[in-house]
Amino acid sequence: MKRTPLDKIRNIGIIAHIDAGKTTTTERVLFYTGKTYKLGEVHEGTATMDWMEQEQERGITITSAATTCFWRDCRINIIDTPGHVDFTVEVERSLKILDGAVVLFCGVGGVEPQSETVWRQADRYNVPRIAYINKMDRTGADFYSVLKQMHERLGANAAPVQIPHGVEDSFDGVIDIIKEKFYYYKDEEGKDYETKDIPDDYKEKVEKYREMMLEKLSDANDSIMEKFLDNQPISADEIYKAIRLAVIKGHFVPVLCGSSFKNKGVQLLLDSICEYLPSPVDVPSIKGMKDNDEYEEIKVSDDAPFCALCFKVATDPYVGRLNYIRVYSGKLTSGTYAYNSTRRSKERVAKIVQMHANKQEIIPEVATGDIAAIVGLKDTKTGDTLCDKESEIIVEPMKFPEPVISQSIEPKTKVDQEKLALALKKLEDEDPSFKVSYNSETGENIISGMGQLHLEVLIDRISREFNVDANVGRPQVAYKETITKKITGVVGKFVQQSGGRGQYGHVVFEMAPAEEAKSEIEFIDKIRGGAIPREFIPAVKKGLFAAAKSGILAGYPVIDLVVTLVDGSYHDVDSSELSFQMAAGIGLSEGLRTGGAVLLEPIMDIEIVVPDEYMGTVIGDLTSKRGKIISVGKRGNVRLIRGNVPLAEMFGYATGLRSITQGRASYTMEPSNYAEVPSHISQKIINQGAATTS
């Protein structure tokens, strides 16, 4: 395969709220670029990118799928991501390694809850993006309303570079307000379109939105601002260059429109991906940590030492383990070795494959800017860095959210026991938001994930892919524990004398609730004057973190806590790492007891779309579930209810909502934060925990 110049590579993701049309858009992109010769449909289970059985049955994307296609003189590496909040980890890991993104919005739904989530994720990774308002042919589609929501809800400096011609059923093309041309689609497949002059009845509207575009672009580009303020003519080429620069810097979002399902606007979207989104050489070089703990920029060049990040692990039934990598510099050839600097181990590269959803094409090597998969790596996990041994460097891995829901799982027979352990290990390797633990008190395997659907899909995979029969318990909420007040002088002392050498560890902590939510305890060392020797400080931290896995109220993990080590003492002979680990654990338990320990529960952001006549019933039902209503809006002829509600109250809500609205309401939900459990409910949970362990 001929090597594409670096400045002609586009590594992009397609991200959006569930059901905005990501997979349908990707299918059209593959069709128009000649990668596929037949249009696959999500609702028919024939979409190329939704290849898993679970995806085809549910009509949703579950795992991010990668593919490569060519348009104009550019090579576009695409990752199609899930929209469902339970699989948000797939978006997280994709955005980490992408250079740009296409954010899809439904022309009817507009900026929905998960739209806001993916937008924030893209902000966190500084990913340049363009917006595509899809489904312009649907009843209730309103391009200008979605644009307004982007300004209000996302705070985006967004402006249209296209506007739709016609609305709903009469949507038949797109008007480009830079070139001032009307692209009229005349056939079902959308392959052929005519370029016409702008119809007279749209000229005023085009003028208005061209003005808006130049005004928004002026905020990001000084030369455009000067010409705009002086009323000087601005050429299309100048606008294209200015938009590209502003998009790469993250200062401007061009907005396009179309209807992917009806095959309108996708070629123009492809043009914009090539025109506006950055190549690997356009974005700032990422930094990695060297052996001396100094950060160093990774040079974006094929001639630089090899460096890549493993962003995903998958299991293939034929070749086994696949490690997806993004190459930041250098080259890697099949049949050679790569060094895993995260785990300090040498890995053999058996073969390198270019992925097209679940199909593989063997390639001899990968180079800077490529996204591919490696077969043969044994120890490499998600977030690990692969590099040259002589130029050791570690790229910062992505961070993943903590699970919010748990279930017990047990094999039905002895024969299934080993198969289940193997299946859980493989799934845990694949999915960093899926955790497996063993409850020694109840003798159960506990699986934890991001939501009911997440665990349901994984349990389905255990049954189908690994042929394991298992019994599954009821879903349980992943509660946490923390303290409510600052406390000083918390003593942890471990003294043991049993003839011969004893054990002695003594620590003094200050503890306070964290000002910002932290999934892990923050440990601060303020030991001065050698009260505890330096070599025992890591043991104190280790003991603290180990003890934090199980709190004192009901055995749930401790979060949102800052622990400062301020004093302590040691014995010349009897002190050891173990004694200080034990002392730290005792100190944490003491601090939780005196610091007013409370249980925390996950709170969910919920958005319910409901017809007017059922609004009162739905609000009443949500309030009875300890929900708080934040806002009630209107979208077309339906109501939009936004609120916060505890996850514990939401099991089986889909069925309940259907029954009280005759199946006419829908909802989406995503984790928001942790909040204190009311005391009467907290006591029940603590009593249940005590009953389970007794």
Short mmCIF file of all heavy atoms in Angstrom, two decimals, residues 435-463:
data_model
loop_
_atom_site.label_atom_id
_atom_site.label_comp_id
_atom_site.label_asym_id
_atom_site.label_seq_id
_atom_site.Cartn_x
_atom_site.Cartn_y
_atom_site.Cartn_z
N LYS A 435 -15.13 -4.22 36.04
CA LYS A 435 -14.26 -4.69 37.13
C LYS A 435 -14.80 -6.01 37.69
O LYS A 435 -16.01 -6.19 37.81
CB LYS A 435 -14.20 -3.66 38.26
CG LYS A 435 -13.62 -2.30 37.85
CD LYS A 435 -12.11 -2.31 37.92
CE LYS A 435 -11.53 -0.92 37.80
NZ LYS A 435 -11.64 -0.31 36.50
N VAL A 436 -13.87 -6.89 38.02
CA VAL A 436 -14.23 -8.18 38.63
C VAL A 436 -13.56 -8.27 39.99
O VAL A 436 -12.37 -7.98 40.13
CB VAL A 436 -13.76 -9.36 37.75
CG1 VAL A 436 -14.16 -10.69 38.38
CG2 VAL A 436 -14.34 -9.26 36.34
N SER A 437 -14.32 -8.64 41.02
CA SER A 437 -13.74 -8.81 42.35
C SER A 437 -14.36 -10.05 43.01
O SER A 437 -15.35 -10.60 42.51
CB SER A 437 -13.99 -7.57 43.21
OG SER A 437 -15.38 -7.32 43.31
N TYR A 438 -13.75 -10.46 44.10
CA TYR A 438 -14.25 -11.64 44.82
C TYR A 438 -14.60 -11.24 46.24
O TYR A 438 -13.78 -10.64 46.95
CB TYR A 438 -13.18 -12.74 44.83
CG TYR A 438 -13.62 -14.01 45.55
CD1 TYR A 438 -14.56 -14.85 44.98
CD2 TYR A 438 -13.09 -14.34 46.80
CE1 TYR A 438 -14.97 -16.01 45.64
CE2 TYR A 438 -13.48 -15.48 47.46
CZ TYR A 438 -14.43 -16.32 46.88
OH TYR A 438 -14.83 -17.45 47.54
N ASN A 439 -15.84 -11.50 46.64
CA ASN A 439 -16.26 -11.19 48.01
C ASN A 439 -16.00 -12.42 48.87
O ASN A 439 -16.73 -13.42 48.81
CB ASN A 439 -17.76 -10.83 48.02
CG ASN A 439 -18.21 -10.33 49.38
OD1 ASN A 439 -17.70 -10.73 50.42
ND2 ASN A 439 -19.18 -9.42 49.37
N SER A 440 -14.93 -12.35 49.68
CA SER A 440 -14.51 -13.52 50.47
C SER A 440 -15.54 -13.86 51.56
O SER A 440 -15.64 -15.01 51.99
CB SER A 440 -13.14 -13.28 51.10
OG SER A 440 -13.17 -12.08 51.85
N GLU A 441 -16.32 -12.84 52.00
CA GLU A 441 -17.29 -13.10 53.07
C GLU A 441 -18.51 -13.87 52.56
O GLU A 441 -19.07 -14.71 53.25
CB GLU A 441 -17.72 -11.78 53.72
CG GLU A 441 -16.60 -11.19 54.57
CD GLU A 441 -16.82 -9.72 54.87
OE1 GLU A 441 -17.57 -9.07 54.12
OE2 GLU A 441 -16.23 -9.24 55.84
N THR A 442 -18.95 -13.57 51.32
CA THR A 442 -20.12 -14.28 50.78
C THR A 442 -19.71 -15.37 49.79
O THR A 442 -20.55 -16.16 49.35
CB THR A 442 -21.05 -13.28 50.04
OG1 THR A 442 -20.32 -12.68 48.97
CG2 THR A 442 -21.57 -12.20 50.97
N GLY A 443 -18.41 -15.38 49.40
CA GLY A 443 -17.93 -16.40 48.46
C GLY A 443 -18.45 -16.20 47.05
O GLY A 443 -18.59 -17.15 46.28
N GLU A 444 -18.72 -14.92 46.67
CA GLU A 444 -19.29 -14.65 45.34
C GLU A 444 -18.31 -13.86 44.47
O GLU A 444 -17.53 -13.04 44.97
CB GLU A 444 -20.57 -13.81 45.48
CG GLU A 444 -21.74 -14.53 46.11
CD GLU A 444 -22.92 -13.59 46.30
OE1 GLU A 444 -22.72 -12.43 46.69
OE2 GLU A 444 -24.06 -14.03 46.06
N ASN A 445 -18.37 -14.11 43.16
CA ASN A 445 -17.69 -13.25 42.19
C ASN A 445 -18.59 -12.05 41.94
O ASN A 445 -19.79 -12.21 41.68
CB ASN A 445 -17.48 -13.98 40.86
CG ASN A 445 -16.43 -15.06 40.96
OD1 ASN A 445 -15.33 -14.82 41.45
ND2 ASN A 445 -16.78 -16.26 40.52
N ILE A 446 -18.03 -10.85 42.02
CA ILE A 446 -18.81 -9.63 41.79
C ILE A 446 -18.31 -8.95 40.53
O ILE A 446 -17.11 -8.69 40.38
CB ILE A 446 -18.67 -8.64 42.99
CG1 ILE A 446 -19.04 -9.33 44.32
CG2 ILE A 446 -19.52 -7.40 42.76
CD1 ILE A 446 -20.48 -9.77 44.44
N ILE A 447 -19.23 -8.69 39.59
CA ILE A 447 -18.86 -7.94 38.39
C ILE A 447 -19.48 -6.54 38.50
O ILE A 447 -20.62 -6.39 38.94
CB ILE A 447 -19.31 -8.65 37.09
CG1 ILE A 447 -20.82 -8.94 37.09
CG2 ILE A 447 -18.52 -9.92 36.88
CD1 ILE A 447 -21.34 -9.50 35.76
N SER A 448 -18.71 -5.53 38.10
CA SER A 448 -19.18 -4.14 38.20
C SER A 448 -19.01 -3.44 36.87
O SER A 448 -18.03 -3.67 36.16
CB SER A 448 -18.36 -3.40 39.27
OG SER A 448 -18.40 -4.10 40.49
N GLY A 449 -19.97 -2.57 36.54
CA GLY A 449 -19.92 -1.87 35.26
C GLY A 449 -20.61 -0.52 35.32
O GLY A 449 -20.97 -0.04 36.39
N MET A 450 -20.85 0.06 34.13
CA MET A 450 -21.36 1.43 34.03
C MET A 450 -22.88 1.53 33.99
O MET A 450 -23.42 2.62 33.94
CB MET A 450 -20.78 2.11 32.79
CG MET A 450 -19.27 2.25 32.79
SD MET A 450 -18.63 3.05 34.26
CE MET A 450 -19.39 4.66 34.14
N GLY A 451 -23.57 0.40 33.97
CA GLY A 451 -25.03 0.45 33.93
C GLY A 451 -25.61 -0.93 33.66
O GLY A 451 -24.87 -1.89 33.38
N GLN A 452 -26.93 -1.02 33.74
CA GLN A 452 -27.59 -2.32 33.54
C GLN A 452 -27.33 -2.89 32.15
O GLN A 452 -27.05 -4.08 32.00
CB GLN A 452 -29.11 -2.15 33.74
CG GLN A 452 -29.54 -2.46 35.18
CD GLN A 452 -31.04 -2.31 35.33
OE1 GLN A 452 -31.58 -1.23 35.24
NE2 GLN A 452 -31.72 -3.42 35.58
N LEU A 453 -27.40 -2.04 31.12
CA LEU A 453 -27.20 -2.51 29.76
C LEU A 453 -25.77 -3.02 29.57
O LEU A 453 -25.53 -4.03 28.91
CB LEU A 453 -27.51 -1.40 28.75
CG LEU A 453 -27.37 -1.78 27.27
CD1 LEU A 453 -28.33 -2.91 26.89
CD2 LEU A 453 -27.58 -0.57 26.38
N HIS A 454 -24.82 -2.30 30.16
CA HIS A 454 -23.40 -2.69 30.08
C HIS A 454 -23.21 -4.12 30.61
O HIS A 454 -22.64 -4.98 29.92
CB HIS A 454 -22.58 -1.69 30.91
CG HIS A 454 -21.10 -1.88 30.82
ND1 HIS A 454 -20.24 -1.43 31.78
CD2 HIS A 454 -20.32 -2.49 29.90
CE1 HIS A 454 -19.00 -1.75 31.45
NE2 HIS A 454 -19.02 -2.38 30.30
N LEU A 455 -23.72 -4.39 31.81
CA LEU A 455 -23.57 -5.73 32.40
C LEU A 455 -24.38 -6.77 31.63
O LEU A 455 -23.94 -7.90 31.45
CB LEU A 455 -23.99 -5.71 33.88
CG LEU A 455 -23.07 -4.91 34.83
CD1 LEU A 455 -23.52 -5.06 36.27
CD2 LEU A 455 -21.62 -5.33 34.70
N GLU A 456 -25.55 -6.36 31.17
CA GLU A 456 -26.42 -7.28 30.41
C GLU A 456 -25.69 -7.77 29.14
O GLU A 456 -25.70 -8.97 28.82
CB GLU A 456 -27.69 -6.52 30.03
CG GLU A 456 -28.78 -7.36 29.40
CD GLU A 456 -29.93 -6.45 28.94
OE1 GLU A 456 -30.52 -5.73 29.80
OE2 GLU A 456 -30.23 -6.45 27.74
N VAL A 457 -25.04 -6.84 28.43
CA VAL A 457 -24.31 -7.20 27.20
C VAL A 457 -23.13 -8.11 27.52
O VAL A 457 -22.87 -9.10 26.83
CB VAL A 457 -23.84 -5.92 26.46
CG1 VAL A 457 -22.81 -6.25 25.39
CG2 VAL A 457 -25.02 -5.20 25.84
N LEU A 458 -22.40 -7.80 28.61
CA LEU A 458 -21.24 -8.62 28.97
C LEU A 458 -21.66 -10.03 29.40
O LEU A 458 -21.00 -11.01 29.04
CB LEU A 458 -20.45 -7.93 30.09
CG LEU A 458 -19.69 -6.67 29.65
CD1 LEU A 458 -19.17 -5.90 30.84
CD2 LEU A 458 -18.53 -7.01 28.73
N ILE A 459 -22.77 -10.13 30.12
CA ILE A 459 -23.27 -11.46 30.54
C ILE A 459 -23.70 -12.26 29.31
O ILE A 459 -23.47 -13.46 29.21
CB ILE A 459 -24.43 -11.30 31.56
CG1 ILE A 459 -23.88 -10.76 32.89
CG2 ILE A 459 -25.16 -12.62 31.78
CD1 ILE A 459 -24.92 -10.15 33.80
N ASP A 460 -24.31 -11.55 28.34
CA ASP A 460 -24.71 -12.19 27.08
C ASP A 460 -23.49 -12.72 26.33
O ASP A 460 -23.48 -13.82 25.77
CB ASP A 460 -25.47 -11.16 26.22
CG ASP A 460 -26.18 -11.79 25.03
OD1 ASP A 460 -26.59 -12.96 25.17
OD2 ASP A 460 -26.31 -11.14 24.00
N ARG A 461 -22.40 -11.91 26.34
CA ARG A 461 -21.16 -12.34 25.67
C ARG A 461 -20.54 -13.55 26.38
O ARG A 461 -19.99 -14.43 25.72
CB ARG A 461 -20.16 -11.18 25.64
CG ARG A 461 -20.52 -10.09 24.65
CD ARG A 461 -19.43 -9.04 24.57
NE ARG A 461 -18.18 -9.61 24.08
CZ ARG A 461 -17.00 -8.98 24.16
NH1 ARG A 461 -16.92 -7.78 24.70
NH2 ARG A 461 -15.91 -9.56 23.69
N ILE A 462 -20.60 -13.57 27.71
CA ILE A 462 -20.06 -14.72 28.47
C ILE A 462 -20.77 -15.99 28.03
O ILE A 462 -20.16 -17.04 27.84
CB ILE A 462 -20.23 -14.48 29.99
CG1 ILE A 462 -19.23 -13.41 30.46
CG2 ILE A 462 -20.03 -15.77 30.79
CD1 ILE A 462 -19.49 -12.88 31.87
N SER A 463 -22.08 -15.88 27.84
CA SER A 463 -22.88 -17.05 27.44
C SER A 463 -22.58 -17.46 25.99
O SER A 463 -22.33 -18.63 25.71
CB SER A 463 -24.36 -16.71 27.61
OG SER A 463 -25.16 -17.67 26.98
#
